[in-house]
Amino acid sequence: MKIGVDYYPEQWDVSLWSRDAGQMLKTGVKIVRLCDGAWSSVEKSDGNFDFEWLDNVVEIFSNAGIEIMMCIPTGNPPLWLYESHPEIVQIGTDNRPVRTGIRNHRCINVPYFRAYAERLTQCLVRRYGHNSSVVAWQIDNELETYQCTCNVCRDKFRAWLWDKYESFENINLAIGCEANSLTYSNLSEITPPTDYPTEWQNPALCLEYRRFSADCIAEYVSEIAGVIKREVPKAEVTTNTWLCENAPDYYKLFENMDFVAYDNYPPVTAEKDKTVKSHAFRLDLMRGIKRDNFWITEQLSGITGGWSVMSPAPRPGMIMGYSLQAFAHGADTVIHYRWRTALKGSEMFLHGILDSNNIPSRRYYEFAELCKTSAKLDVFRSAKIVSEIAILYSPDCFNALKIQPQTDNFSYIGQLEDFHTAFARYGANIDVVSADSDLSGYKIVVAPSVFVNDKAVTENIYRFVINGGTLVLTCRSGVKDNNNNCIMESLPTVYRQLIGADVTEYDPAGSTINQSIRDFAGNTFRCREWCDVLHVTTAKTYAEYGENFYKCCPAITMNKYCKGSAYYVGTICDMDFYENFAGNLMMQAGISRLMGLPKGVEVVTRTNGINDYVFFFNNSDETVNIPLPKPMYSIIDSRGKDVIRLIPFDVDIVRK
């Protein structure tokens, strides 16, 4: 397990470089991430490359025995490139050039930009690709599905649509152009979505443009990866991502990458119950992209600021705890942002390990302790996370529900996180995987709001239940066809037979709802935002509504189907319901549960086939004691224990 730092030597005096490398080595840093935003530093003007300073930096870290992740800094084109080729600037949905700020304002589809990006990549990889200290390459930085509407993107989108549908008749039918008299008869009539409010636009066209943008990003990183691989075939190549507003299709983005890389900035403020909102779901989502271990390329190191007002300071234990949490969920390298806090630029208040005064502080000493602890964890490199529970994530559903929000506070990601949190309360390992993944190894699969119907996904879900799996489907499933148009059938349309029930009516009650449900055991839970009123055919009622005109009508159902079972949750509930529901499902599916875990304590088990290693992380502001069923050996403390005591944000790892 490696701990590293993001380092920006171009921002610091040359006299600091060797000193920093020596201090990093002493601290226990194993890897540095370089060149993230340094395009203008290596290419001063068009074709005028200056690698002397970077040669010096690479030599310093190579001599120190510190590995290097080299970035291709195409997210930060130099101003001379914008000036000589203004056509590379993105055009916004308002049909105006985006103002160039600090980064990511170029259009990756413009041929001039691609040519310059490929030349820069080739120069970097030819110079450093055969250096044994350079162990990985990162392409660009935090790519999103930008909604560029420049002429290049317009033409490329038109060609993309034509390749997909092959005729105007098919395009018009798929996108629903007859609505509002917007049928196409010429390619020039097809334009990307505009800056109108999204709800005033064609949702089918909006989804197609997001799919197109995701394809363009994936094509771009694959092309740059090809430049690297042609020079160094065995190079390890990736790009980094995060869960953002314009999230890419992660599965396409990383399809041709060697591993997934994620930028992880967990929240630092405790909620009313003194627990902190966990990033465990996001970490499991990243692991599920390739169903393999991944890297963190930017990890929380201090107060955040720059894009917004500054956050509260990370509490004692968070620097250590959140890094070990990432290791627990499948990261095998965690690189902290950044070694030293910047003195200039928009991110000067996005704090690093060292503050701007360059004096080691509490966070630095905690980071140094983390480096020592991580050295004990190499045994986990071969240990895998084996899960019996999966949650399905769909980029199409994510985007379609952003294009047409269903009601106040209705959140697609929120549902995934709630189910994840509920199963995690019992110490379960959980995979978050694509909706078309192989589900045969799971006992429970949760598919929240499968809003957009894809035939392959539908067949995959049916196959899982037919073969004996337990499925949870939720409200707003089966609403749209694959073109993001409504299906003229009773909801949940293609899943009606599977769940053994119909939605006779629904109430988009929003955030003002005063509604509850009562389950089969007499437990009462609050529900909110959305209420499907169900009519059962072959299903049994699991819970019914307690108020409103649909009082006593089914809210949640359970249906036996072939060898398996399908539950339908027709509403959104508070966490106490999900925890109770998850516990019942695990018991029925024969999945072991850890009962009585204190609030905020997260448990993940990794196995190498011989030994199981159990990670305990206290993501709360309170000290907790966890009795073990038998004495176990602590990897952290190097001794046997029968009780685990965790102070706030503390971690212990025991061999089971």
Side-chain angles (χ1 to χ4, degrees):
M1 301 297 194
K2 297 177 186 175
I3 294 291
V5 291
D6 295 303
Y7 189 55
Y8 298 86
E10 68 275 15
Q11 299 179 15
W12 305 104
D13 188 84
V14 65
S15 63
L16 290 172
W17 298 349
S18 292
R19 190 189 313 172
D20 282 342
Q23 189 175 4
M24 289 179 198
L25 183 63
K26 182 180 178 181
T27 305
V29 169
K30 299 296 184 185
I31 186 169
V32 292
R33 176 171 165 258
L34 298 176
C35 215
D36 170 28
W39 190 339
S40 66
S41 295
V42 297
E43 190 175 6
K44 304 288 188 182
S45 59
D46 194 343
N48 177 24
F49 289 94
D50 175 15
F51 291 111
E52 184 177 351
W53 69 274
L54 190 53
D55 290 345
N56 190 5
V57 172
V58 170
E59 183 179 7
I60 288 170
F61 283 107
S62 296
N63 290 340
I66 296 175
E67 295 178 339
I68 295 167
M69 180 183 212
M70 187 68 74
C71 297
I72 307 296
T74 48
N76 300 73
L79 292 178
W80 59 256
L81 181 54
Y82 281 125
E83 187 171 293
S84 59
H85 292 288
E87 65 270 29
I88 75 168
V89 176
Q90 288 180 33
I91 303 299
T93 53
D94 59 358
N95 207 30
R96 296 178 181 178
V98 173
R99 294 182 181 180
T100 53
I102 62 168
R103 69 180 190 188
N104 292 348
H105 299 301
R106 74 284 183 268
C107 175
I108 54 95
N109 286 326
V110 173
Y112 274 118
F113 173 77
R114 288 283 185 100
Y116 278 95
E118 288 182 23
R119 184 178 73 177
L120 173 67
T121 303
Q122 190 174 67
C123 288
L124 281 166
V125 75
R126 282 180 175 174
R127 198 164 190 97
Y128 305 111
H130 297 284
N131 187 314
S132 60
S133 295
V134 179
V135 298
W137 294 81
Q138 177 191 302
I139 299 169
D140 213 272
N141 182 58
E142 293 183 344
L143 286 157
E144 299 182 35
T145 51
Y146 310 110
Q147 304 291 297
C148 180
T149 64
C150 72
N151 288 334
V152 172
C153 288
R154 287 169 184 256
D155 289 343
K156 192 167 184 174
F157 177 53
R158 291 161 180 160
W160 182 89
L161 271 182
W162 190 264
D163 285 345
K164 184 173 182 177
Y165 293 108
E166 299 181 334
S167 72
F168 288 115
E169 181 182 3
N170 291 339
I171 292 173
N172 289 327
L173 182 64
I175 299 181
C177 295
E178 65 279 1
N180 305 112
S181 190
L182 294 174
T183 53
Y184 301 126
S185 57
N186 192 297
L187 284 176
S188 63
E189 297 168 354
I190 300 173
T191 60
T194 68
D195 61 342
Y196 268 16
T198 305
E199 57 268 25
W200 281 65
Q201 302 191 60
N202 184 337
L205 178 68
C206 290
L207 182 58
E208 291 287 31
Y209 204 74
R210 290 185 185 232
R211 288 168 170 165
F212 160 75
S213 300
D215 282 356
C216 290
I217 295 296
E219 174 200 70
Y220 167 62
V221 296
S222 293
E223 185 175 298
I224 299 300
V227 175
I228 298 171
K229 296 280 191 177
R230 281 193 293 274
E231 297 292 336
V232 186
K234 294 184 178 180
E236 292 288 301
V237 181
T238 190
T239 185
N240 61 333
T241 194
W242 60 306
L243 190 58
C244 52
E245 182 72 18
N246 295 311
D249 183 327
Y250 301 118
Y251 309 106
K252 290 181 178 178
L253 181 67
F254 288 101
E255 184 176 4
N256 295 318
M257 300 294 103
D258 293 297
F259 60 94
V260 171
Y262 174 61
D263 293 349
N264 187 40
Y265 292 92
V268 299
T269 306
E271 299 179 345
K272 289 181 180 179
D273 62 358
K274 297 191 176 181
T275 64
V276 178
K277 184 176 175 61
S278 178
H279 264 205
F281 163 78
R282 299 175 184 224
L283 298 169
D284 286 342
L285 173 63
M286 293 301 119
R287 189 184 72 252
I289 294 170
K290 295 181 84 71
R291 303 179 88 160
D292 202 354
N293 290 354
F294 60 98
W295 286 27
I296 301 290
T297 39
E298 294 183 16
Q299 173 74 14
L300 176 76
S301 296
I303 295 166
T304 59
W307 310 113
S308 61
V309 297
M310 283 187 277
S311 72
R315 302 298 184 256
M318 284 184 170
I319 303 301
M320 170 86 78
Y322 286 139
S323 294
L324 296 183
Q325 179 197 38
F327 283 141
H329 287 271
D332 52 25
T333 297
V334 175
I335 300 175
H336 284 249
Y337 188 90
R338 47 191 281 169
W339 175 245
R340 187 189 291 108
T341 305
L343 300 180
K344 301 174 182 177
S346 66
E347 295 185 356
M348 65 177 70
F349 296 126
L350 185 52
H351 293 62
I353 297 298
L354 294 171
D355 287 331
S356 53
N357 61 13
N358 202 30
I359 299 172
S361 65
R362 167 182 65 85
R363 297 196 314 281
Y364 169 80
Y365 292 112
E366 186 176 323
F367 175 77
E369 189 63 28
L370 166 66
C371 291
K372 292 178 184 177
T373 300
S374 68
K376 303 176 183 179
L377 306 183
D378 277 347
V379 66
F380 303 122
R381 276 194 175 273
S382 60
K384 300 295 183 182
I385 297 171
V386 179
S387 306
E388 296 179 292
I389 301 169
I391 298 174
L392 305 188
Y393 170 80
S394 163
D396 274 353
C397 295
F398 173 86
N399 284 318
L401 287 164
K402 284 221 175 265
I403 292 166
Q404 288 183 301
Q406 296 299 281
T407 187
D408 294 344
N409 296 333
F410 187 99
S411 170
Y412 175 69
I413 292 295
Q415 287 189 75
L416 274 70
E417 288 180 321
D418 284 348
F419 276 105
H420 187 279
T421 300
F423 287 112
R425 286 286 292 127
Y426 299 98
N429 286 352
I430 306 149
D431 287 348
V432 182
V433 297
S434 65
D436 59 358
S437 293
D438 178 8
L439 305 178
S440 59
Y442 301 111
K443 291 183 177 179
I444 297 174
V445 167
V446 183
S449 295
V450 188
F451 191 64
V452 176
N453 173 46
D454 179 276
K455 184 179 179 182
V457 171
T458 305
E459 291 175 351
N460 197 32
I461 288 173
Y462 267 87
R463 187 182 308 116
F464 170 73
V465 179
I466 288 169
N467 289 331
T470 297
L471 171 76
V472 180
L473 200 68
T474 78
C475 58
R476 308 314 285 149
S477 290
V479 177
K480 300 289 195 81
D481 62 20
N482 199 39
N483 295 311
N484 207 19
N485 298 313
C486 283
I487 299 172
M488 195 169 65
E489 294 179 31
S490 296
L491 292 171
T493 65
V494 295
Y495 298 109
R496 286 163 58 206
Q497 184 179 2
L498 186 63
I499 72 163
D502 299 295
V503 178
T504 60
E505 188 173 0
Y506 52 75
D507 183 9
S511 57
T512 60
I513 186 172
N514 180 23
Q515 180 61 277
S516 66
I517 58 171
R518 182 186 296 272
D519 71 10
F520 68 95
N523 301 307
T524 300
F525 306 97
R526 182 180 176 273
C527 62
R528 49 192 163 82
E529 281 133 36
W530 192 275
C531 296
D532 278 341
V533 183
L534 299 170
H535 168 256
V536 296
T537 51
T538 59
K540 295 181 180 179
T541 299
Y542 183 94
E544 59 185 29
Y545 293 109
E547 288 87 26
N548 219 314
F549 63 88
Y550 38 90
K551 180 178 180 179
C552 298
C553 290
I556 300 171
T557 59
M558 188 280 289
N559 189 49
K560 292 288 186 181
Y561 189 85
C562 294
K563 296 180 181 178
S565 301
Y567 290 80
Y568 185 83
V569 181
T571 185
I572 311 291
C573 297
D574 287 348
M575 184 50 64
D576 58 345
F577 164 75
Y578 293 111
E579 289 181 6
N580 180 277
F581 186 52
N584 287 342
L585 292 177
M586 291 175 68
M587 180 176 62
Q588 293 166 19
I591 300 174
S592 60
R593 298 175 294 169
L594 284 177
M595 305 298 290
L597 282 175
K599 282 278 189 183
V601 172
E602 301 177 11
V603 179
V604 179
T605 302
R606 297 182 65 156
T607 183
N608 60 12
I610 300 172
N611 292 310
D612 291 343
Y613 300 93
V614 187
F615 289 69
F616 291 85
F617 172 46
N618 180 19
N619 197 19
S620 80
D621 269 339
E622 294 191 325
T623 297
V624 298
N625 292 291
I626 307 166
L628 296 173
K630 64 178 183 179
M632 297 183 187
Y633 182 78
S634 169
I635 305 297
I636 300 293
D637 295 335
S638 302
R639 62 184 178 87
K641 295 181 177 180
D642 52 15
V643 175
I644 292 178
R645 183 177 186 273
L646 300 175
I647 62 175
F649 312 107
D650 196 7
V651 173
D652 203 348
I653 307 168
V654 297
R655 187 174 61 225
K656 191 173 178 182

